[in-house]
Each structure stands twice: as C-alpha cells, then as structure tokens.
Amino acid sequence: MTDMTHDRDREAALFLQLLLGLQQAAMVALGKLMNPVSGRIERNLEAARNTIDTLSALETRTRGNLGNDEQRVLTQVLTDLRMNYLDEMKKG
C-alpha cells in the first residue's frame, strides 16, 4: 500500500466518521437517542434542522469528489435524518 493510498483510505475513514458523528448529533436533537450529556431524551428540532442542512451542504460541496461508499453513506444518512425529521414535525 502506497502512502497516497493510505492517505486516501484514512481520509475516507475520517469523512465517514464525521458523517456518522453528525448523524448521531441530529438523532439526539430529534429525540431519537438519549443526550449523552444530560442522560435524557430531548428534542431540539432547530438544532436537528441545522445539522441536516450542514450535511446537505457537505453533499453539495463534495459532489463528484466522493468514493462510492462515501456517497452511499452520505445519501443514506440524509434520507434517514430527513424522514425522522418529518416524523417529529408531524408530532408537533
């Protein structure tokens, strides 16, 4: 494995870690996961929307520059979060 391949693999892993971290933050804000700081389920739909918008901006800014796995994960994360956000909005 060349240094360049290793660097690309590391960058891909770090990018996926970023996506999953943002997904987890959004799920906490949606009240779908326990807040690790407070130990409670809390909803903050504005924070969730901001995180979803951040991921959407990443999708736009990285279009054409991601590997297949990175693009697939980003698309899946956004789809999942958008569906959960709509679910929470319906609850009022």
Side-chain angles (χ1 to χ4, degrees):
M1 182 184 294
T2 66
D3 284 343
M4 190 181 263
T5 301
H6 176 72
D7 289 347
R8 275 197 305 266
D9 290 346
R10 178 168 160 62
E11 286 177 355
L14 291 170
F15 185 76
L16 292 173
Q17 186 176 1
L18 172 66
L19 295 180
L20 297 177
L22 289 170
Q23 179 186 35
Q24 183 175 9
M27 292 298 275
V28 168
L30 288 168
K32 304 288 185 175
L33 295 175
M34 182 178 63
N35 182 324
V37 176
S38 70
R40 296 189 314 230
I41 296 291
E42 302 166 343
R43 260 185 21 157
N44 182 339
L45 295 182
E46 184 177 343
R49 181 77 238 166
N50 287 337
T51 304
I52 293 167
D53 289 346
T54 298
L55 283 160
S56 182
L58 276 172
E59 181 181 49
T60 299
R61 302 295 296 175
T62 60
R63 189 166 287 129
N65 292 314
L66 298 178
N68 290 336
D69 287 342
E70 294 166 314
Q71 186 59 57
R72 181 182 48 76
V73 170
L74 179 53
T75 299
Q76 185 59 50
V77 164
L78 271 169
T79 300
D80 182 53
L81 289 176
R82 287 173 174 152
M83 289 173 49
N84 276 285
Y85 181 80
L86 288 175
D87 183 51
E88 289 304 310
M89 289 297 290
K90 288 177 188 173
K91 293 179 183 178

